[in-house]
Amino acid sequence: MADFFLFINEILWGSILIYLLVGAGLWFTWRCGFVQFRYLAQFRSIILANKNKDSSGISSFQALCTSLAARVGSGNLSGVALALTLGGPGAIFWMWVVAMLGMATSFVECTLAQLYKTRDSEGNYRGGPAWYMERGLGMRWMGVMFSIFLMIAFGLIFNAVQANSIANAVNNAFGIPKTWVGIALVVLTAGVIWGGMRGTARISQWLVPFMALIWVLMSLVVMALNIERLPEVVSLVFKSAFGWQEAASGALGFTISQAITTGFQRGMFSNEAGMGSSPNAAAAAATWPPHPASQGLVQMFGVLIDTIIICSATAGIILFSGILDTASPDLNGIRLVQQALSSVVGSWGTGFIALIVMLFAFTSIVANYAYAENNLLFLQQKSPFATVLFRCLALVMVMFGTLSPLPLVWQMADVAMAFMAVTNLTAILLLSPVARDLSIDYLRQLKLGKTPVFDPNRFPEIKSQLAPGIWDNSEPPETRR
């Protein structure tokens, strides 16, 4: 089974997805005027000046924290460790590259999700790639296909990945059998997933900033204690990224390929740019300024926070500890991160990592499931029986993940991620003229000193595709007369 998934991954990643990811990232970067570099200052003003009191949606900050809850999971720890062991330190450099390109991709997909959002039967905003495939492209069949991929990937397989990381970390730190960890995790997950997107947003807005802050602070402590290794680590990352240190051995081509492939895989799994996941959270926001592009700007900074900051913190702990030089081949994933931290701060580092993994992975499980149930709604299967059945399947996969071998679970996740990404990237590439027009309109109003407001009457072709009543009046409710 593991060999089969490895073969599929080599085809999807080696021949298709890497080129599609890079090409899409470059295309959107140019198409949207290098938005990820030119408008960094907009993030703070959008988050802090959320004046929209529209009760139909969550706030921009809650939407960002929800998407980060899904992004910031075991991929930020065990995924980085796997990248270092399989692709070398240079894989981290390529994770940075895919993140910078992915910021533009995330901007486009989340802007489109905001544009084509709808309201459900309870009046809450709903949307995501399936909705812009149906409304923007007129291809409901593509939306159905994407929804099925997402439900399998996020509702089932990715949650198995997160559960696997929790079980390994807790077992290694405290010796608790994985079976008991799985049972406890299933009970906790079952108690949370009944809260829906709003419940996930409320939990995420408190937990995500806290867990990210303590992890970054811990990495800074490790780096400060080993500051003399700074030149060596920086040199190692860049030399390994381009294979310079292996040139004499004749392994140059293989080393570069492995670093790029592994870095792109783990980077995308971590920040999810282009995969079509974060648009599900972006569409649920009652965004301010009242323009689809503002939520695109918010969500693209989630990529920066996830990969450039949090993944780099994990890489810093491993590389500055020096454990990678002496680690045995079977020491990978969470156990490598635990060993790296413990070698610097002492035995309590193992338990600290277990706590971080539980926070990272559990919030990711909750957000992943919220995405999956959102797409169950798109399939018009929001019946009590379908919902309960899907929740039970999700809980079964959580238990499965705690007991399965790490390589098999990761390979299943890579296959699911590839199918999602190919479908979503195809859609947003076809819709790139719409995203370009929206970004131009938003930035034009900014330059004029105005608060950007989306007026669908300026875009007759787009207006006919929008859900009735969503953008008819873009002013916040308290200003309406």
Side-chain angles (χ1 to χ4, degrees):
M1 183 66 72
D3 291 340
F4 170 76
F5 282 113
L6 180 61
F7 173 72
I8 297 298
N9 275 323
E10 288 178 352
I11 295 176
L12 290 173
W13 284 97
S15 303
I16 301 174
L17 204 49
I18 284 182
Y19 302 104
L20 188 58
L21 275 171
V22 174
L26 291 170
W27 173 252
F28 293 134
T29 297
W30 175 75
R31 193 78 160 167
C32 296
F34 298 87
V35 65
Q36 70 268 50
F37 302 107
R38 294 172 58 194
Y39 295 95
L40 291 173
Q42 284 297 307
F43 172 72
R44 181 175 178 273
S45 61
I46 292 172
I47 287 294
L48 295 181
N50 190 357
K51 302 177 182 178
N52 201 334
K53 306 300 181 182
D54 187 350
S55 60
S56 297
I58 59 180
S59 70
S60 292
F61 181 69
Q62 287 178 323
L64 174 64
C65 288
T66 299
S67 68
L68 281 172
R71 286 180 172 126
V72 180
S74 61
N76 296 80
L77 284 83
S78 60
V80 172
L82 284 172
L84 290 172
T85 54
L86 296 178
I92 301 303
F93 173 83
W94 296 110
M95 288 180 72
W96 296 336
V97 171
V98 79
M100 295 308 297
L101 295 175
M103 288 177 71
T105 306
S106 183
F107 169 79
V108 169
E109 62 182 354
C110 292
T111 297
L112 292 171
Q114 260 289 311
L115 177 67
Y116 292 109
K117 66 185 179 182
T118 63
R119 283 191 177 93
D120 62 18
S121 58
E122 298 175 355
N124 298 317
Y125 288 135
R126 296 280 185 173
W131 280 262
Y132 56 67
M133 290 170 189
E134 179 182 37
R135 290 188 169 275
L137 295 176
M139 299 179 181
R140 179 172 173 81
W141 63 267
M142 179 183 264
V144 169
M145 185 170 65
F146 176 85
S147 292
I148 293 172
F149 288 150
L150 186 142
M151 290 167 61
I152 293 172
F154 277 74
L156 304 177
I157 296 178
F158 282 8
N159 283 345
V161 170
Q162 307 299 341
N164 182 282
S165 296
I166 292 175
N168 283 334
V170 173
N171 177 260
N172 191 43
F174 308 113
I176 300 175
K178 293 181 179 180
T179 301
W180 290 108
V181 176
I183 293 172
L185 192 56
V186 166
V187 172
L188 288 172
T189 303
V192 175
I193 62 177
W194 264 259
M197 186 71 78
R198 286 185 180 272
T200 301
R202 285 192 293 269
I203 294 173
S204 300
Q205 72 175 337
W206 296 107
L207 275 181
V208 170
F210 168 74
M211 66 190 193
L213 179 61
I214 60 174
W215 183 239
V216 172
L217 289 176
M218 177 56 70
S219 71
L220 292 175
V221 169
V222 171
M223 294 178 195
L225 292 174
N226 297 274
I227 193 65
E228 71 280 356
R229 290 180 60 92
L230 179 61
E232 175 189 347
V233 169
V234 172
S235 175
L236 183 63
V237 168
F238 284 94
K239 286 184 177 180
S240 179
F242 299 99
W244 293 333
Q245 82 281 20
E246 284 85 13
S249 66
L252 176 64
F254 173 80
T255 302
I256 294 177
S257 174
Q258 195 74 1
I260 294 175
T261 302
T262 306
F264 276 24
Q265 281 180 323
R266 299 278 63 84
M268 185 182 175
F269 183 87
S270 176
N271 63 56
E272 301 177 6
M275 198 189 305
S277 54
S278 56
N280 290 273
T287 192
W288 182 266
H291 195 290
S294 63
Q295 188 57 213
L297 289 171
V298 169
Q299 293 296 334
M300 81 174 186
F301 288 104
V303 176
L304 184 147
I305 294 169
D306 174 270
T307 306
I308 305 297
I309 296 177
I310 298 178
C311 286
S312 296
T314 303
I317 288 174
I318 296 173
L319 294 175
F320 276 80
S321 71
I323 194 68
L324 201 62
D325 301 330
T326 58
S328 60
D330 61 337
L331 186 64
N332 54 31
I334 290 297
R335 293 196 302 123
L336 177 61
V337 184
Q338 288 177 315
Q339 188 69 32
L341 184 60
S342 297
S343 68
V344 177
V345 302
S347 59
W348 66 268
T350 299
F352 178 82
I353 293 293
L355 173 64
I356 291 294
V357 170
M358 285 189 287
L359 288 173
F360 278 25
F362 183 69
T363 55
S364 190
I365 288 173
V366 172
N368 286 349
Y369 179 80
Y371 289 171
E373 193 165 299
N374 186 53
N375 282 265
L376 184 66
L377 177 66
F378 176 82
L379 297 177
Q380 299 177 347
Q381 296 296 322
K382 190 63 175 179
S383 67
F385 174 76
T387 302
V388 171
L389 176 61
F390 189 67
R391 287 172 179 171
C392 290
L393 287 174
L395 296 176
V396 168
M397 287 301 293
V398 168
M399 190 68 197
F400 168 77
T402 62
L403 303 175
S404 299
L406 179 64
L408 174 61
V409 177
W410 275 105
Q411 287 159 14
M412 291 171 63
D414 284 338
V415 171
M417 177 172 60
F419 281 120
M420 275 184 60
V422 169
T423 306
N424 183 60
L425 287 169
T426 301
I428 60 178
L429 284 168
L430 291 173
L431 288 169
S432 62
V434 176
R436 177 205 58 197
D437 291 344
L438 291 176
S439 65
I440 291 173
D441 181 59
Y442 184 90
L443 301 176
R444 174 187 61 81
Q445 294 183 61
L446 276 182
K447 290 179 179 179
L448 293 175
K450 299 179 179 180
T451 297
V453 175
F454 176 64
D455 180 6
N457 293 315
R458 297 190 68 250
F459 306 94
E461 293 184 4
I462 296 177
K463 183 179 180 180
S464 63
Q465 301 170 340
L466 304 180
I470 298 296
W471 295 105
D472 290 349
N473 187 343
S474 295
E475 295 178 345
E478 67 269 21
T479 67
R480 298 175 188 168
R481 296 291 185 270

